[in-house]
Amino acid sequence: MQQAKDKTLLIKNAKVVVTMNDTREEIKNGAIFIRNNIIEQVGPSAELPQEADEIIDAAHHVAIPGLVNTHHHMYQSLTRAIPAAQNGELFNWLTNLYPIWAGLTPEMIKVSTLTAMAELILSGCTTSSDHLYIYPNKTRLDDSLEAAAEIGMRFHGARGAMSVGQSKGGLPPDRVVEDEEAILKDTRRLIESYHDASRHAMQRIVVAPCSPFSVSRDLMREAANLARHYKVSLHTHLAENVSDIAYSREKFNMTPAEYAEDCGWVGHDVWHAHCVQLDDHGIALFARTGTGVAHCPCSNMRLASGIAPIRKMIDAGVPVGLGVDGSASNDSAHMMGEVRQAMLLQRVGFGPDAMTARQALEIATLGGAKVLNRDDIGALKPGMSADVVLFDTRQIGFAGGQHDPVAALVFCTPANVAWSIINGRVVVREGQCTTIDLGTVMERHNALSLELAEAAR
Ligand SMILES: [Zn+2]
C-alpha cells in the first residue's frame, strides 16, 4: 500500500521558477509538484495539479534549485576571526590555527556542523560536502554525519586526513596527524557504514586526504585505490597559492596537476578545492579527464591566494562547482554570497563579461551537482530530488530590482531563504529552521568556541 503513504507538496504562484533544465527555462508564475522526495511536475501554476497535502503559496518568491556547496570545513565555524589568524596567507594561517584545532571534541564537531549547516541552509544551500581532516580527542566523521541527519541536509561527508607532521617535513604539528593504516581502516569503516550510492541519497562518503603538503604520496595513491574499489569520490586541496606550487615543485618536482595525475587523482570521480594556480596544462588535463574544481572565491580573497581562472576552466570544459570553504577563512558561509563573489571576482580578473549572474547560479547548482558526481540534484525537473529554495523578493535588498528578479538574487545583497525544501521535507518555513532549535544550538556553539580558543592559550 505504498500509495496510501505518499505525501504531496505543491509550490505555486512563484514569481519565477528557475529550472536549470536542459534549455535553462525560467517559468513565470510557476509551480512545482513534489511527491515524497522527488519532483514530479514543473510548469505554469495553471497547468499543474491544484491540490496537494501541503501547498506553499510562493507569490513574490523566486524558486531555484537548492544550491550545492562543494567545499567546507564546518568545524572551523568555532574559530572565526581568531585574531592571530586574521591577516596571514595560507601556511601562516594554518600554522596559527592547528594548535587550537588540536583541542576539538566530538561535541564540538557535532554542534559546529549543525551551526554551519543551519547557516548554509538559510543561505539557499541544500546539499553540502564537508572536509573534516583533523581527528583529535576521539572525534569522528560520525559526529558530522549525525548532525546532517538531524538537520536534514543532503550531505557528502569527506573523510579527510593528515599524516605528514612537521618532523617529516609536513606543515601540521605531529600531534594532530594520524597513522596511515588507521586512516585507511577508518575510511573503509565509514564507507561500509554510511555510503549510499542510490539516487536521491542523503549521505555519501568521500575519500579525502587533506592536501599534498600534509599526507604522503603513498597515502594519496592508496586513497585513490580505496575510492575506486568502493566507487566513491575523491577530494583534496590543490594548487591553492604560490607557496603550494613551490612546495610541490620542491618536494615532488612536479606541478600540483602533474602530481595529482601521478597519484591517480584525476577523473570524473575526483574534485579538487581551489585550483587558483592551476596552469594551462592542468586545465587541459582536468577538462580531458572530467576532474572537478571547487571554486572558493571568498577564501581565495581572504587569504590573498589569487583569482582562479574559472572562466578559462569552464570554456575548456572543466566541471566547476562553488564552495564557501572553512568558516575560518571566509569567515562567512553564505552560499548566495559566494555566488555573488564568484561573479564579481571573475570580473575583477577577466573583465565585465567574464561571468553573468545566471552563469554564477549555474555553477552553484548544476556545476556543484556535476562536481559531486550526481545527476539527481541541481535542477528543477521531473525525476530530480525535491531540493527547492524560495527567496522572498519583498526584502529591502531587492527593492528596485524587480526588472530581473533572478539576476537580482546575485547582484543584490545576499538574502536568506524564506523556504527550503530538502528531499521533499520543509526544513525552513517562513525563514525559520524547522528541524533544530537554532537559538539553543548557537548558544552552545559560542560557548564551545570560547572554550576551544581558551584551551590553546
Ligand atoms: Zn579548504
Side-chain angles (χ1 to χ4, degrees), residues 236-299:
T236 193
H237 294 91
L238 203 80
E240 183 163 348
N241 70 1
V242 289
S243 320
D244 200 349
I245 303 292
Y247 183 92
S248 184
R249 283 248 178 248
E250 191 189 321
K251 190 98 174 169
F252 314 119
N253 195 28
M254 290 179 190
T255 65
E258 286 166 348
Y259 182 65
E261 186 177 26
D262 183 65
C263 296
W265 277 70
V266 290
H268 63 92
D269 54 352
V270 183
W271 86 102
H272 296 283
H274 304 300
C275 298
V276 174
Q277 306 292 341
L278 196 68
D279 59 8
D280 287 350
H281 164 264
I283 291 175
L285 172 69
F286 280 27
R288 195 166 66 245
T289 54
T291 309
V293 168
H295 175 44
C296 309
C298 284
S299 172

Side-chain angles (χ1 to χ4, degrees), residues 71 73 237 273-274 325-326:
H71 188 64
H73 313 286
H237 294 91
H274 304 300
D325 201 2

